[in-house]
Amino acid sequence: MRPISKRGGYAQHSEVPHGVHDPRPASRSAPVPGVLEPTAPAPERATRIEAHGIDHIPDSERHGRPRDLFAVWAAANVNYLSLVIGGALVLMGLSLWQSVAVIVVGNLFWLLTGLLATSGPAAGAPSEVITRAMYGVIGNRVMNAVGGWLVSVCYFALNLAAAAAAAFALVEQAGITANTAVKAGVIVTIAAFTLAISVYGHAMIMKLYLPMTLALAAAFTVVAVAVLAHTDFSYRPAPPLTGASLWAVLLAGTTLIASGPLSYTTSADFSRYLPRASSRGAIAGWTALGAIVPSVVVCSLGALAATAVDMSDPQAALERILPGWFYPVFLLALILGTISVNALTAYSAGLALQAVGLRIRRSVSVLFDGAVAVALTLYGLLVSNLLDTVSNSLQLIVVLIGPVTAVYATDILLRRCRYDGRALADETPGSPFWYTGGVNPAGALALAAGVAAAAVCVDTLYTQPVAAALGGLDFSLPVGMAVASSLYAVLMLRMRLVGPVE
């Protein structure tokens, strides 16, 4: 690659002062003046707490195969919330087959999650660091504080609440009264198992998620058999939605499904240990496939079940159609599925907290994030309706995460997925990703424009002008992503922030 200007992401240096990362590609074999060469690391083991946080992963520590990513994303998508969302589509007024169509279309957004995952091996860094290329060193800290850490902690709390509801029912099945003390103990116990996986880190995730996927697949196979036996395949709401009302619900449902994959702008966190030469197509494919297949299946089960039972309370509804002996197993599966998704969420939240600028170990940041999420869950479930407030806020979060995903994906395409991990690790004003005052104007302007464009199209908790003019049609997701992506590409090229390749 031909060197370009400092603003463009690659500086021309012949020597590097002590303590400053070499912005040249990490694949160079010659030693870098002034930079200590790393000693040979101990191999990554599941039983050893991961030493790396947001620092660069050298080639000597890369390992694994792209297909290993399938189980990571599969286990995270066999969960209770997927059942709830699938059932919600029917409750919103869609027919069974309209709901299934929305589920398929919405889950195609996982292809973007797969694309983002390709940047991990290219940079040897997590998403929380790679996005410095889009927003600058300082701008990226703000992004990680809001779009990374805060959103992750809120999702952790909501998922934990869902798991807790299943666990409360399981406790009652065992003959124990689920009073306040028992509920608090259950929440803390589930969080402890979740955070143990996140603290041990990448190797533990890669080791556990295949057996977790197999166990969850077996449990949900039984659920599928029971649900299919009761499904009304000719179900249509009475009266059926038509015209603008139908399109409004179709758009809202697609956005609801798409919010899942769009919330995983951190997919590089789990691919960054793969060898640099790993196939990008395989990385994107196995990531997307691992998420799409189980998510489509589990969401569809929720929609199928909604034709026979009232899925406004999925747990109680499914108890009526599942075999009695299997119901406790089903509850355990719901808890396990939530642990799997929350372990990924907590892992990324820990990296986001480091990327904000806090100089703490990754394991400590994960525990801090978990403590905040547990406190939110306890307060929300036992004291107030805080979780309802958080849930309502997350309904609007697509206004932010849509444009964030679009900017990230566009940057990967502009740079042809070529990132200098060592340069990205440099947080000093001499960094090639410092841009102007630590902020990349192209990324900041594109994101602001995308969020603003999406916000005026919203028809979720509030009806905004464009949605009102269109009769309640909510185009916030496609409009926000299109504006952010196109403006970012234009600004990066006009400002020459991305230079020629080769």
Side-chain angles (χ1 to χ4, degrees):
M1 177 181 290
R2 191 170 68 199
I4 63 175
S5 69
K6 179 179 175 181
R7 293 190 309 162
Y10 294 91
Q12 302 180 52
H13 295 292
S14 58
E15 291 189 12
V16 182
H18 178 71
V20 177
H21 293 277
D22 179 15
R24 293 173 293 184
S27 58
R28 296 177 70 101
S29 58
V32 179
V35 177
L36 296 176
E37 293 298 314
T39 57
E44 192 187 28
R45 294 178 184 172
T47 54
R48 179 183 293 130
I49 293 177
E50 182 184 355
H52 286 293
I54 61 171
D55 52 309
H56 177 252
I57 309 296
D59 288 342
S60 60
E61 295 186 51
R62 308 289 192 90
H63 57 87
R65 301 157 298 181
R67 67 171 178 263
D68 297 336
L69 295 170
F70 179 90
V72 172
W73 293 101
N77 280 280
V78 182
N79 56 61
Y80 184 47
L81 288 183
S82 293
L83 276 173
V84 172
I85 291 172
L89 295 176
V90 173
L91 294 175
M92 290 164 65
L94 296 179
S95 71
L96 174 60
W97 298 113
Q98 287 169 343
S99 298
V100 171
V102 165
I103 289 168
V104 172
V105 172
N107 276 294
L108 291 179
F109 281 84
W110 284 108
L111 295 172
L112 286 175
T113 308
L115 174 61
L116 302 193
T118 63
S119 63
S127 294
E128 292 81 3
V129 170
I130 296 169
T131 46
R132 288 173 183 166
M134 288 134 249
Y135 305 107
V137 173
I138 301 300
N140 192 55
R141 291 179 183 175
V142 177
M143 271 301 305
N144 274 296
V146 179
W149 183 80
L150 182 60
V151 171
S152 293
V153 168
C154 288
Y155 270 116
F156 189 111
L158 285 174
N159 284 318
L160 181 57
F168 298 160
L170 189 62
V171 166
E172 294 281 359
Q173 289 254 322
I176 302 172
T177 302
N179 55 32
T180 299
V182 170
K183 288 182 177 180
V186 164
I187 292 170
V188 171
T189 300
I190 295 173
F193 279 107
T194 303
L195 294 174
I197 297 173
S198 303
V199 165
Y200 275 92
H202 180 266
M204 180 63 77
I205 290 171
M206 301 308 293
K207 184 177 183 64
L208 286 182
Y209 274 52
L210 178 56
M212 288 170 72
T213 297
L214 296 175
L216 289 168
F220 273 80
T221 297
V222 178
V223 175
V225 171
V227 167
L228 289 171
H230 292 81
T231 300
D232 177 4
F233 288 97
S234 63
Y235 172 83
R236 291 178 61 85
L241 294 173
T242 58
S245 297
L246 173 60
W247 282 106
V249 175
L250 290 173
L251 283 170
T254 301
T255 300
L256 181 64
I257 298 292
S259 65
L262 291 176
S263 68
Y264 282 105
T265 56
T266 57
S267 54
D269 297 0
F270 310 101
S271 63
R272 73 190 195 277
Y273 277 89
L274 290 174
R276 187 188 304 272
S278 298
S279 166
R280 294 174 192 168
I283 293 167
W286 285 113
T287 296
L289 189 65
I292 289 173
V293 172
S295 186
V296 167
V297 170
V298 177
C299 283
S300 295
L301 284 177
L304 292 167
T307 67
V309 294
D310 181 7
M311 286 294 283
S312 59
D313 184 358
Q315 195 171 292
L318 290 172
E319 183 179 8
R320 293 197 291 273
I321 62 177
L322 291 174
W325 64 267
F326 178 72
Y327 187 64
V329 179
F330 171 66
L331 295 176
L332 284 172
L334 294 183
I335 297 169
L336 179 61
T338 304
I339 288 174
S340 66
V341 67
N342 261 357
L344 300 189
T345 302
Y347 182 81
S348 292
L351 295 174
L353 198 59
Q354 285 188 313
V356 168
L358 296 183
R359 305 300 181 186
I360 56 177
R361 293 194 305 275
R362 183 198 58 79
S363 55
V364 175
S365 65
V366 166
L367 291 174
F368 175 79
D369 297 334
V372 173
V374 168
L376 283 174
T377 306
L378 288 171
Y379 188 77
L381 286 180
L382 307 179
V383 180
S384 77
N385 64 345
L386 176 65
L387 287 179
D388 288 338
T389 302
V390 172
S391 179
N392 290 336
S393 299
L394 288 176
Q395 290 182 50
L396 293 174
I397 207 65
V398 72
V399 169
L400 171 64
I401 60 178
V404 167
T405 302
V407 168
Y408 195 164
T410 304
D411 191 78
I412 290 175
L413 297 176
L414 288 174
R415 298 178 191 272
R416 302 186 190 179
C417 201
R418 297 182 181 182
Y419 292 96
D420 186 339
R422 298 183 68 186
L424 285 164
D426 184 358
E427 298 184 65
T428 69
S431 166
F433 297 102
W434 189 259
Y435 298 105
T436 303
V439 177
N440 180 359
L445 290 172
L447 182 61
V451 169
V456 298
C457 297
V458 164
D459 184 32
T460 307
L461 298 177
Y462 307 98
T463 300
Q464 296 302 313
V466 174
L470 295 175
L473 297 181
D474 185 337
F475 285 99
S476 58
L477 179 60
V479 168
M481 294 185 72
V483 169
S485 175
S486 57
L487 184 57
Y488 183 73
V490 169
L491 291 176
M492 287 292 282
L493 293 173
R494 284 178 65 90
M495 296 177 182
R496 297 183 181 180
L497 296 180
V498 173
V501 179
E502 297 295 346

